[in-house]
Amino acid sequence: MREETGKLDFEKVIEEFERITKDAENVQKETLRKILEENASTEYLQNLGLNGRTDPESFKACVPLVTYKDFEPYIQRMVDGDVSPILTEKPITAVSLSSGTSQGNRKFIPWNDELFKTTVQIYQTSFAFRNRDFPIQDGKALSFIYGSNAPPKKGDVILGTATSNVFGNPGYKNAMQALKSQSCSPDDVIFSPDFQQSLYCHFLCGLLFREEVQSISSTFAHSIIYAFRTFEQDWEELVNDIKEGVLSSRITVPSIRDAMSKLLKPNPELANLIHKKCAGLSNWYGLIPELFPNVKYIQGIMTGAMEPYLNKLRHYAGEVPLVTSEYGSSEGWIASNVNPKVAPEFATYAVLPQIAYFEFIPITQLDGTQVKLEAVGLTDVKIGEEYEIVLTNPAGLYRYRLGDIVKVMGFHNSTPEIKYMRRSGLLLTITTDKHSENDLQLSVENASKFLAEVKKEVIDYTSYIDLSTEPAHYVIFWEISGETNDEVLSECCRCLDKSFIDPAYMFYRKCKGIGALELRVVGKGTFEKILESQVARGVPVSQFKTPRCVGPTNTTMLQILFENVVKSYVSTAYD
Ligand code: AMP
């Protein structure tokens, strides 16, 4: 599908997507056949008695629906150097350490070239649709991406992350070039041992190529917000580097210094221009188009756990559109955004039937009463229903319960368009009350309206179940964009409490079976410290999601939160 220029023919990519999605059922069967055929002699499938059969009915009859825990011992053997065909025929040479999503438990997920191919396919599809609605010229992308220059290894197995496995693949650069999305940063900036230094230089490169930057992106939108917040602190130093043509002494990694010295020349004119633009902004509103006048859109995953950051992102973006990109996980890609003009809050993703074999467990079966779960096929899902996604991928996961809940909003030809809803697990529970990640997000959104009235916002938040009091109660931690008076914050605290509308919660709150909710405000930069502490333990910055509930064993994060509390409020909602 390449034109002579080496660029992709985007219309052909769309045509191919239309063809595949019109035939989704058969494409799924073929995808499953291929995966099972290639891995027929693996220990896992042999033990389940599949005997080389590759049809969906035999597959469903023989292979159980499982979670990560069930695969863990097999994966561990592979990581420990067992090269026999355990889950895949070809030995696995890399694993991706998942970010642990928003609840903080990290997983080892097998990674192989097949997953890289699906990554290219999904990037091409999303890009083709994006480019149809927001055409970009050949140019550069300011991409806040971070790889590792020397990912750790156990024996021969690389212990990477999904994003670093993608960025580090020899085919990545070509793929991005074909998508007119080549990063303006040199490789030494992307693959660096220190992400703060990478970030600083990503910005510096972006500013040097400011006229050429056509898009701004990251895997998850959080990285973009984090980058621009950091810019607010560092901009004068960046301007100075451009003026003098000398890289700040804060950059100590020799390979980054070398790479940047090739780009940096004294440019007082550019420095003055940027200085003037930054100094002229009120509260950084519209920073992005001021710095990057030719940027056509800002792109990254913006749904689910990223939604709380959209207001802030819009603040920086001004009129520049925000486009949510794809839906996927370390375990494999799932779906593309084929309606990029839709605001992220309403976005849906169309499942790509050729990248994995998908099944869906109706959430009505997930209440714990169903003895045997029955998943339905990709084309059998019903509009308006919610499901947990199950995937079988070409890297050794078979009927793997992803733990994500999605809602079917419609169909694109015969493939479903899904909306990401939440993680399936419960986030907060003390007695029989139940609150998902979404419930907490809604409660925070409701309560932060009081902050908006005084022109403040929640920068980030998390929660904690305080079992040390009798009765136990929930604690919500907020970092806020500035000083706010006690009256407003007490109102926010009441509202947080009142916004938990689970009947069991309301019942136990009234009869004092659950104590009053507490809002603890933490000081500026607390969530930055949390990010840094997670990165220090190997969580990839590109995939970082703030844990929305801190368990009692996460002592590092709890310590950071507790040490940084500046004020606390107890809800009077049920007094
Ligand atoms: P990771 O394991 O770090 O790759 O994170 C994958 C998880 O991020 C998924 O299981 C989802 O919970 C979440 N995620 C990925 N893409 C999206 C999306 N487009 N919208 C909402 N959540 C997403």
Side-chain angles (χ1 to χ4, degrees):
M1 262 177 267
R2 277 170 196 260
E3 289 171 346
E4 277 165 24
T5 56
K7 293 284 177 279
L8 273 182
D9 181 336
F10 300 112
E11 281 312 315
K12 288 221 174 88
V13 172
I14 292 178
E15 267 170 37
E16 177 67 0
F17 177 77
E18 297 298 339
R19 187 189 68 74
I20 287 176
T21 53
K22 278 182 187 146
D23 194 23
E25 190 178 349
N26 284 324
V27 173
Q28 277 281 275
K29 279 188 188 154
E30 179 54 22
T31 306
L32 180 67
R33 188 196 61 71
K34 203 162 163 265
I35 293 173
L36 296 182
E37 213 166 78
E38 278 172 10
N39 297 293
S41 61
T42 55
E43 178 184 323
Y44 189 76
L45 294 179
Q46 288 271 323
N47 286 348
L48 292 169
L50 204 55
N51 291 331
R53 285 170 295 170
T54 60
D55 60 289
E57 292 71 29
S58 309
F59 180 59
K60 274 182 158 185
C62 297
V63 179
L65 292 164
V66 292
T67 62
Y68 178 71
K69 265 200 160 50
D70 301 289
F71 275 121
E72 204 171 10
Y74 296 95
I75 297 173
Q76 193 57 53
R77 277 172 53 204
M78 289 158 45
V79 171
D80 290 341
D82 186 339
V83 290
S84 64
I86 301 172
L87 292 171
T88 51
E89 195 80 38
K90 289 188 213 146
I92 285 287
T93 52
V95 292
S96 301
L97 279 127
S98 87
S99 64
T101 66
S102 47
Q103 287 169 15
N105 304 318
R106 306 199 60 197
K107 305 176 217 155
F108 280 122
I109 309 292
W111 168 267
N112 64 10
D113 282 346
E114 296 301 314
L115 287 188
F116 180 73
K117 283 183 207 154
T118 64
T119 307
V120 174
Q121 279 176 337
I122 201 145
Y123 281 2
Q124 287 181 349
T125 307
S126 306
F127 184 85
F129 282 93
R130 203 159 56 233
N131 199 55
R132 189 164 75 174
D133 285 356
F134 304 105
I136 59 175
Q137 313 299 318
D138 273 342
K140 294 195 187 293
L142 172 55
S143 304
F144 295 103
I145 53 176
Y146 308 90
S148 166
N149 58 352
K153 276 183 130 184
K154 179 138 196 261
D156 288 332
V157 180
I158 297 171
L159 307 179
T161 62
T163 40
S164 68
N165 286 330
V166 170
F167 307 147
N169 190 290
Y172 178 74
K173 251 190 163 165
N174 269 347
M176 288 296 105
Q177 205 162 13
L179 300 182
K180 307 185 197 175
S181 307
Q182 203 179 8
S183 166
C184 52
S185 304
D187 281 359
D188 291 298
V189 169
I190 300 170
F191 299 97
S192 127
D194 182 311
F195 101 89
Q196 295 285 7
Q197 297 191 27
S198 286
L199 168 55
Y200 186 90
C201 292
H202 274 318
F203 247 116
L204 201 47
C205 295
L207 294 173
L208 294 175
F209 294 107
R210 66 184 283 275
E211 300 275 349
E212 287 166 65
V213 170
Q214 298 266 316
S215 64
I216 294 181
S217 67
S218 70
T219 309
F220 284 92
H222 179 273
S223 298
I224 305 178
I225 292 287
Y226 185 84
F228 280 91
R229 277 195 211 288
T230 312
F231 179 84
E232 288 186 26
Q233 317 292 324
D234 295 346
W235 71 278
E236 283 171 305
E237 201 172 337
L238 286 159
V239 166
N240 197 49
D241 288 6
I242 295 172
K243 187 171 161 198
E244 308 288 338
V246 178
L247 189 61
S248 157
S249 59
R250 68 158 72 194
I251 307 300
T252 55
V253 176
S255 55
I256 304 188
R257 289 201 72 86
D258 275 358
M260 290 305 298
S261 69
K262 293 187 185 113
L263 296 175
L264 209 52
K265 307 271 172 306
N267 191 341
E269 207 180 317
L270 177 61
N272 286 342
L273 180 75
I274 296 168
H275 194 282
K276 213 164 123 198
K277 286 190 177 292
C278 289
L281 286 174
S282 154
N283 201 17
W284 302 105
Y285 177 82
L287 173 63
I288 290 177
E290 282 298 323
L291 293 180
F292 308 104
N294 296 315
V295 79
K296 302 291 184 301
Y297 54 78
I298 297 157
Q299 167 241 323
I301 293 172
M302 296 183 183
T303 42
M306 297 298 122
E307 272 184 47
Y309 308 116
L310 287 175
N311 278 347
K312 187 68 185 173
L313 198 48
R314 287 205 172 95
H315 183 84
Y316 289 130
E319 300 292 310
V320 179
L322 304 187
V323 184
T324 187
S325 46
E326 294 92 10
Y327 169 35
S329 63
S330 303
E331 289 86 342
W333 288 105
I334 298 157
S336 265
N337 177 8
V338 298
N339 301 303
K341 281 195 171 158
V342 174
E345 287 86 344
F346 306 103
T348 57
Y349 300 93
V351 180
L352 265 64
Q354 77 277 32
I355 55 175
Y357 183 70
F358 297 102
E359 294 171 81
F360 295 81
I361 306 172
I363 59 155
T364 46
Q365 294 183 18
L366 300 178
D367 61 3
T369 56
Q370 183 107 357
V371 185
K372 189 168 184 293
L373 298 176
E374 298 284 350
V376 298
L378 179 74
T379 51
D380 298 322
V381 292
K382 302 254 177 314
I383 294 177
E385 300 290 313
E386 292 188 7
Y387 299 88
E388 178 183 346
I389 296 196
V390 174
L391 63 83
T392 296
N393 77 4
L397 299 180
Y398 305 96
R399 306 197 83 200
Y400 173 95
R401 293 177 59 183
L402 189 60
D404 282 353
I405 304 293
V406 296
K407 185 172 182 173
V408 178
M409 306 303 286
F411 282 86
H412 184 102
N413 296 318
S414 56
T415 200
E417 288 209 8
I418 53 181
K419 182 170 171 59
Y420 177 89
M421 301 305 286
R422 59 184 175 277
R423 296 288 301 161
S424 66
L426 275 182
L427 191 72
L428 296 171
T429 175
I430 288 179
T431 61
T432 55
D433 62 312
K434 296 182 175 67
H435 315 274
S436 68
E437 208 174 307
N438 240 21
D439 298 327
L440 175 63
Q441 186 176 319
L442 288 175
S443 163
V444 171
E445 267 172 30
N446 269 345
S448 51
K449 287 182 189 134
F450 293 98
L451 280 184
E453 285 171 14
V454 290
K455 305 229 170 340
K456 295 287 179 305
E457 61 183 337
V458 177
I459 289 184
D460 222 331
Y461 64 91
T462 189
S463 64
Y464 169 66
I465 305 170
D466 191 344
L467 298 169
S468 69
T469 55
E470 182 53 51
H473 70 286
Y474 295 126
V475 179
I476 315 284
F477 294 93
W478 273 10
E479 183 176 329
I480 302 174
S481 61
E483 295 278 308
T484 313
N485 68 47
D486 289 343
E487 214 173 299
V488 172
L489 288 166
S490 300
E491 204 46 59
C492 292
C493 181
R494 275 172 57 81
C495 184
L496 281 169
D497 204 4
K498 275 283 180 196
S499 301
F500 280 151
I501 49 167
D502 171 57
Y505 181 74
M506 299 199 290
F507 171 81
Y508 282 110
R509 278 290 286 117
K510 276 182 204 146
C511 68
K512 312 260 181 282
I514 296 178
L517 181 144
E518 209 186 326
L519 169 63
R520 294 190 199 165
V521 177
V522 292
K524 190 162 176 247
T526 303
F527 280 85
E528 212 170 300
K529 288 184 194 155
I530 289 172
L531 177 134
E532 282 158 13
S533 77
Q534 302 268 316
V535 171
R537 54 179 274 269
V539 170
V541 192
S542 305
Q543 285 163 252
F544 177 79
K545 303 166 203 77
T546 299
R548 295 293 183 214
C549 179
V550 195
T553 53
N554 194 345
T555 46
T556 317
M557 189 164 156
L558 281 179
Q559 195 181 344
I560 297 174
L561 288 165
F562 290 163
E563 280 176 4
N564 285 280
V565 172
V566 287
K567 276 181 176 177
S568 65
Y569 302 86
V570 175
S571 163
T572 53
Y574 290 86
D575 283 0

